Amino acid sequence: MGLYLNPGNEAFRQAVTDDIYIDKTKLIALINQRFNRSRVKYICVSRPRRFGKSMAADMLAAYYGKGCDSGELFVSRKIENEESFLTHLNQHNVIRLDIQRFLFDESHLDIFIDKIQEAVIRELETEYGGCFVADQYGLPGVLGQIYAHTKEGFTFIIDEWDCVFRFAKERQEIQKGYLDFLRGLFKGAEYVELAYMTGILPIKKYGEHSAINIFKEFSMLNPGPFAEYFGFTEEEVETLCGKYGIDYEETKKWYDGYLIGDFHIYNPQAVTELMDSKSFRSYWTGTETYEALKIYIDMNFDGLKESVIGMLSDVRCEIDPSTSQNDMTTFKSKDDVLTLLLHLGYLSFDEKTSEVFIPNQEIAREFMRSVKAGGWDGLVQALKRSEGLLQSTWELDGEAVAEGVAAIHNETASMLKYNNENSLTCTVLMAYYSAKAYYMNPLLELPSGKGFADVVYLPKRDMDRPALVVELKWNQSAKGAIAQIKDKQYADWLEGYTGNILLVGISYDEKKGHSCVIEEYKLNI
């Protein structure tokens, strides 16, 4: 066994003997289906930090690698009953690389590829010294010679594959050189039985094309059959909560929300920290990704700040992720920034609607930290006003609501385009930010009656609060907004709702300022 060639099973042994271990061994069966099949044996799985990528890599290395006996580690695990289990157990030469280990200092950027090759070749010499002569073709040339002599292939497991793009954000020549190295190592190579890579970012694109197009990617956008194997599922978290005496419903509020394929997935680090500490708080790691959040949400792309404000108020944002170049520097639109935040774990993605949203209370707090640190003038103060404004709405105090909306509109004018209807919508979402404690996620442009209601708030089942149907008007009267709600029967959409309903008309006139009219509405039931 070596550090890189057939590294053994100690890392996986430590994982399975931890107090909290979730059995993800059926991932192996999925990988076995792709083993040594030319079109599907190149796999890249990208997930945010702390989603179990390294543990999965350790598991695969322990399972496939020669030089150790890992059978005992899989006793009573889910993989044990799979037909392919014994076929590949400790039968292959594994080359296991953690790219980050070669890049712990900026000075290593210019030499890390050479150091990777030197380290692996040095270990290959011990095992296959008579089968090759090292030459200018480096590691690919050595592996090719070994295969020609022995017909033995290699299984590659590469963790933190993308750290180059995070560490050398502005060094295009380093990034391209690294991709060229990977292309030369894998493309068309007979010695590759399997190439499995994990990282935070999907494979870097130049223009519309991937630089290593032989890999099948499984990301936050397209998790495929790998969705349940990275992170904890609802069933797994509920079981842990029962074992450790933790309130499962409160756990969902804090840490649920990542929609990955058909699964609700939890960040394993947050869940395990909760089980240990019994304390609900943010366990998000303040690393490079937090710096990215602070920097990127402050970018002045058209509509980005409005989208962040909407998502803080539990509104989803539709995106087109196809333009993203899968790096941390190439941004041409708000969609590129939001796509990056999705890969970093700050947003979740609904494949069915192509919408992103803030997944849970833990991440919402990280956004608020970044908003405060980023100098979003007025937003924090605006959100503080929200509880009082919501109370004024319940009390039918239209004048107080108008004053509150005007104050919030003025406080956030530096962030938003003041004089347009979209700005007024964002203002109202900020004004009713506190509604998330009492209401379900706000519904924007809800189809109801004969048209679309601008914003609808429906109370949570355990909350005795009135539903709110909000209509916004620009350079028109608040009374006209109320009249439109009635004329187009917006409230009739709530036919099955038996509680109270408030109709809220909010208007901004460039000459007269803000006004608000609030009325009670009774359904004809």
Side-chain angles (χ1 to χ4, degrees), residues 389 397-407 514-516:
L389 190 142
D397 190 344
E399 185 176 339
V401 170
E403 290 177 359
V405 170
H514 299 78
S515 61
C516 176

Side-chain angles (χ1 to χ4, degrees), residues 21 31 37 91 203 303 346 362 385-386 423 426 447 512:
Y21 169 74
I31 302 297
R37 296 175 58 198
Q91 297 298 307
I203 291 175
Y346 285 102
E362 179 185 38
R385 294 179 183 273
S386 176
S423 170
C426 287
K512 298 178 181 178

Side-chain angles (χ1 to χ4, degrees), residues 115-325:
K115 293 303 179 184
I116 290 173
Q117 297 188 90
E118 289 172 8
V120 177
I121 291 173
R122 188 162 51 246
E123 293 192 5
L124 289 169
E125 283 177 342
T126 302
E127 191 73 22
Y128 301 100
C131 298
F132 67 86
V133 176
D135 56 23
Q136 69 271 23
Y137 294 106
L139 182 57
V142 166
L143 294 170
Q145 292 177 62
I146 292 172
Y147 182 78
H149 280 81
T150 67
K151 298 304 178 185
E152 291 187 18
F154 293 86
T155 294
F156 295 83
I157 300 173
I158 300 179
D159 197 12
E160 299 283 0
W161 92 271
D162 64 318
C163 67
V164 178
F165 302 94
R166 293 180 278 122
F167 198 62
K169 297 187 183 83
E170 307 293 341
R171 299 284 302 275
Q172 293 289 320
E173 77 285 2
I174 297 293
Q175 296 177 19
K176 289 184 178 181
Y178 174 57
L179 290 173
D180 287 341
F181 166 66
L182 293 178
R183 186 186 299 109
L185 184 62
F186 295 132
K187 195 162 188 176
E190 291 183 304
Y191 53 76
V192 177
E193 296 176 323
L194 177 78
Y196 174 91
M197 302 198 307
T198 70
I200 294 176
L201 300 176
I203 291 175
K204 163 71 179 171
K205 291 189 291 187
Y206 288 102
E208 296 180 355
H209 304 286
S210 169
I212 323 174
N213 56 15
I214 57 174
F215 277 84
K216 176 68 174 177
E217 295 193 75
F218 302 95
S219 69
M220 294 288 279
L221 288 164
N222 303 294
F226 295 89
E228 64 183 292
Y229 297 108
F230 297 90
F232 291 170
T233 64
E234 289 181 292
E235 181 181 357
E236 291 163 349
V237 173
E238 188 170 11
T239 299
L240 285 174
C241 286
K243 178 180 178 180
Y244 286 88
I246 302 294
D247 186 329
Y248 176 59
E249 291 302 318
E250 190 67 16
T251 302
K252 288 177 65 175
K253 293 177 186 177
W254 272 87
Y255 308 112
D256 188 14
Y258 290 104
L259 284 181
I260 302 181
D262 294 327
F263 294 88
H264 281 249
I265 296 293
Y266 292 68
N267 183 318
Q269 181 183 8
V271 174
T272 53
E273 292 280 4
L274 171 64
M275 299 302 129
D276 287 339
S277 70
K278 306 290 194 296
S279 176
F280 290 98
R281 55 188 175 85
S282 176
Y283 295 103
W284 198 255
T285 309
T287 61
E288 59 190 341
T289 55
Y290 172 63
E291 295 300 319
L293 181 60
K294 287 197 298 183
I295 293 169
Y296 297 138
I297 67 172
D298 203 36
M299 287 185 170
N300 194 28
F301 288 118
D302 187 37
L304 177 60
K305 289 186 176 181
E306 289 90 337
S307 295
V308 170
I309 289 168
M311 288 189 293
L312 282 170
S313 301
D314 295 327
V315 174
R316 295 184 172 199
C317 176
E318 186 175 350
I319 67 166
D320 175 7
S322 65
T323 61
S324 172
Q325 299 302 297

Side-chain angles (χ1 to χ4, degrees), residues 438-440 457-468 497 500:
Y438 311 96
Y439 292 86
M440 295 185 287
Y457 290 91
L458 295 176
K460 296 177 180 179
R461 288 187 178 182
D462 58 343
M463 291 292 172
D464 183 20
R465 303 292 176 182
L468 307 178
Y497 175 72
N500 293 332

Side-chain angles (χ1 to χ4, degrees), residues 463-512:
M463 291 292 172
D464 183 20
R465 303 292 176 182
L468 307 178
V469 179
V470 184
E471 181 67 19
L472 309 176
K473 287 297 179 183
W474 193 263
N475 285 335
Q476 299 179 52
S477 71
K479 289 183 179 180
I482 295 292
Q484 181 171 319
I485 294 174
K486 295 177 178 178
D487 180 57
K488 296 194 174 183
Q489 303 171 6
Y490 291 164
D492 287 0
W493 180 84
L494 305 177
E495 184 176 354
Y497 175 72
T498 57
N500 293 332
I501 300 173
L502 298 183
L503 311 183
V504 183
I506 298 175
S507 171
Y508 174 69
D509 185 290
E510 293 181 53
K511 295 181 179 178
K512 298 178 181 178

